[in-house]
Amino acid sequence: MEEIRMKLLGEKFPSMEVVTTHGIKRLPEDYAGKWFVLFSHPADFTPVCTTEFVEFARKANDFKELNTELIGLSVDQVFSHIKWVEWIKDNTNIAIPFPVIADDLGKVSNQLGMIHPGKGTNTVRAVFIVDDKGTIRLIMYYPQEVGRNVDEILRALKALQTADQYGVALPEKWPNNYLIKDHVIVPPSTNEASANERKEKIKSKEIEAFDWWFVHKPLK
């Protein structure tokens, strides 16, 4: 039996079969070669969750352009999910294109650490970004009373993929950082020789930097 505990960054997403509004799915196997964002919500037919679902739906194509699929989850039954998705379409004219996991027994939620007893018996607003190899890359937790910022989730996803592709780090609010704008951060020197080499390049203005340990550059 798998130990029930909070999942950690860098761990493999646990294999599981889930019931969704789009039928049975196997995670992470059905998304092999793709990234996915799994996000939980406390309950169907709640105002904050509805605003989040609408925005996730509106930005669904932006996620797809990044080879990423969206998956919702709550401890409600699939019948409730279906009726709520229908209500959203009927009342906001927004169709929900992604599957919603029905976790009425709480098995998935407990396995992923989405139920925090201090916040009640429903799932908190958890977000898991999982890469195309099934590895958990980012986790966010919001309380039930505070809605998420979908743009920030999208930004974080872009930053993760950029870091992987170019071997760089990304600053606060990238690509709109106060100090270095849309530049990316070059990994710091790991020995004296390379640090001294950077100092010389800074003096000759061959590279942009605040210091040898804080070097930045345009992405391309």
Side-chain angles (χ1 to χ4, degrees):
M1 182 177 179
E2 183 178 352
E3 177 188 5
I4 296 177
R5 61 172 177 80
M6 302 287 279
K7 297 304 174 189
L8 303 177
L9 300 182
E11 292 186 344
K12 290 294 184 181
F13 190 91
S15 179
M16 58 180 70
E17 188 174 89
V18 294
V19 176
T20 83
T21 51
H22 291 187
I24 300 293
K25 290 193 177 292
R26 187 86 179 174
L27 303 179
E29 291 82 358
D30 287 352
Y31 295 87
K34 291 186 175 184
W35 292 59
F36 66 86
V37 175
L38 173 62
F39 61 97
S40 59
H41 58 281
D44 298 342
F45 296 100
T46 53
V48 176
C49 300
T50 301
T51 64
E52 291 180 322
F53 262 56
V54 166
E55 193 60 16
F56 272 119
R58 290 181 65 247
K59 298 292 174 60
N61 285 334
D62 294 335
F63 284 95
K64 280 187 177 294
E65 288 176 2
L66 295 172
N67 190 35
T68 303
E69 299 295 331
L70 296 169
I71 312 167
L73 176 148
S74 84
V75 291
D76 291 301
Q77 295 183 342
V78 71
F79 310 105
S80 176
H81 287 342
I82 292 171
K83 290 302 295 181
W84 183 41
V85 166
E86 289 178 352
W87 185 97
I88 292 173
K89 178 65 168 65
D90 291 343
N91 290 274
T92 71
N93 201 33
I94 298 293
I96 304 302
F98 48 81
V100 187
I101 296 172
D103 188 34
D104 50 305
L105 297 179
K107 182 178 178 181
V108 176
S109 302
N110 278 302
Q111 191 175 8
L112 294 175
M114 293 176 168
I115 295 179
H116 298 185
K119 298 300 292 182
T121 57
N122 289 335
T123 46
V124 294
R125 301 183 194 283
V127 178
F128 289 81
I129 297 182
V130 181
D131 69 19
D132 52 359
K133 298 177 180 60
T135 300
I136 299 171
R137 299 296 300 277
L138 185 148
I139 304 172
M140 302 177 185
Y141 287 106
Y142 286 69
Q144 296 178 11
E145 60 270 23
V146 178
R148 288 163 285 212
N149 184 329
V150 175
D151 283 336
E152 168 57 18
I153 297 170
L154 190 59
R155 187 201 73 88
L157 172 65
K158 290 178 181 177
L160 285 168
Q161 294 185 352
T162 300
D164 284 359
Q165 183 176 354
Y166 296 99
V168 295
L170 291 308
E172 181 272 343
K173 203 180 178 182
W174 179 83
N176 298 297
N177 177 256
Y178 173 75
L179 288 177
I180 61 175
K181 305 301 187 285
D182 62 348
H183 281 201
V184 297
I185 297 171
V186 180
S189 299
T190 56
N191 55 67
E192 288 186 4
S194 62
N196 289 330
E197 181 182 352
R198 283 192 179 184
K199 289 177 183 178
E200 293 302 317
K201 288 184 177 180
I202 293 170
K203 287 180 182 178
S204 62
K205 301 188 183 303
E206 293 180 55
I207 59 176
E208 296 183 71
F210 287 95
D211 209 328
W212 63 268
W213 53 269
F214 192 166
V215 178
H216 56 95
K217 66 177 184 179
L219 182 58
K220 295 179 181 179

